Amino acid sequence: RAMPVQELAGALGTPDVPAPYVVRTHKDQQLAAAVVAPVPVIDHGRLLRKDHSADETAKLRSAIESWGLFMVSNHGVDAAVIESMRAASREFFRQPLEEKQRYSNLICDEQFQSEGYGNDRVSSPDQTRDWTDRLYLKVQPEDERRIALWPAHPENFRDVLHQFTKKCGQLKNDLLRAMAKLVGLDDENYFVDQLGEKALTNARCSYYPECPRPELVFGLKPHTDGTVVTVLMVDDHVGGLQVLRDGVWWDVPIVPHTLLILIGDQIEIMSNGIFKSPVHRVITNAKKERLSVALDYSVDPEREIEPSPQLIDEKRPAFYRKVKVKDYIATYYNHFFQGGMVIDTIKL
């Protein structure tokens, strides 16, 4: 069992970090202050209105083409729901360790499962670990929720997560419709329908403790998301998320009252590479803890995905092969722990 990073951070009497967390290559240690990325903010309300949508659609196109991510304002998720979700997550991580261990992602202290509280599965001795603890829960399909792993404290946690998921689900569908129109698909519900009846939604509450040597570690190693899209509620005070563009790391800014949307591998495949899933990472902070809550949206694991036939022609052949989502996700995690990009394995 790896000690939770939160406990480790509290127990460190020296300004050093344990070897398994130290990033090995010199190239990756260049965590110097990045430039702030001018990521566009899309007004969700305007995007939906027939008379104003052209401007917002152009902004959406520019954001996706330039960054693979964008922020959404006026998104319909009540400020009170967001604030409650943030507070409930913070409260969970502030509890004593024995309380949190009741929801452990280790069965009998040794067998790893993706759901629950803890940190990464350690699959090899030389694996570089991330400076983060997380609570990872399947929220949809609703009949597959493992409520025993949903914290009973704080008392409102389960209800708040349910409300947050419900509100963000509507936003995600609206954005997928706008994105289908953006690439010229005849059916604006194409991406929504591809999700399937048993589409998967996972919630990821991530806690990044203070780190004495931020330049040596990653809060989260460079990766792309293996999702269709990810809806992210970032920390409202502490930055740390960075996106890679043209070989340069850029800081993703904090914009109050917005949600961050990341393009995932699955929609890169379905859009035949018109949308690109961005490589991103999280760096840590020597003086401040950081908290985020993400909703990962994925196609039903039993379904197959491939480039939309409408986005393939002589000029633009299929760039990706057909793949079963369940297999993709399994391969994704193996690559993630080793620091590789799984999408490269299915490019034609």
Side-chain angles (χ1 to χ4, degrees), residues 2 54 88 92 106-107 129 169 184 297:
F92 171 77
L106 291 175
I107 304 164
R129 299 182 201 167
Y297 292 100

Side-chain angles (χ1 to χ4, degrees), residues 28-44:
D28 283 339
Q29 283 183 29
Q30 294 164 6
L31 301 181
V35 183
V36 176
V39 177
V41 178
I42 310 298
D43 185 319
H44 174 238

Side-chain angles (χ1 to χ4, degrees), residues 288-316:
K288 296 171 182 168
E289 61 182 20
R290 181 176 181 273
L291 182 93
S292 67
V293 179
L295 291 174
D296 299 334
Y297 292 100
S298 176
V299 170
D300 172 354
E302 296 301 330
R303 293 183 73 149
E304 292 182 321
I305 51 171
E306 62 185 324
S308 161
Q310 221 190 312
L311 301 177
I312 298 168
D313 55 31
E314 284 173 11
K315 286 187 191 145
R316 193 180 181 88

Side-chain angles (χ1 to χ4, degrees), residues 70-98:
F70 55 93
M71 290 166 199
V72 184
S73 64
N74 193 12
H75 42 61
V77 185
D78 311 354
V81 171
I82 288 180
E83 211 33 67
S84 299
M85 186 73 249
R86 185 175 278 129
S89 303
R90 210 176 283 284
E91 188 61 33
F92 171 77
F93 285 107
R94 282 188 177 154
Q95 295 180 106
L97 178 60
E98 57 272 20

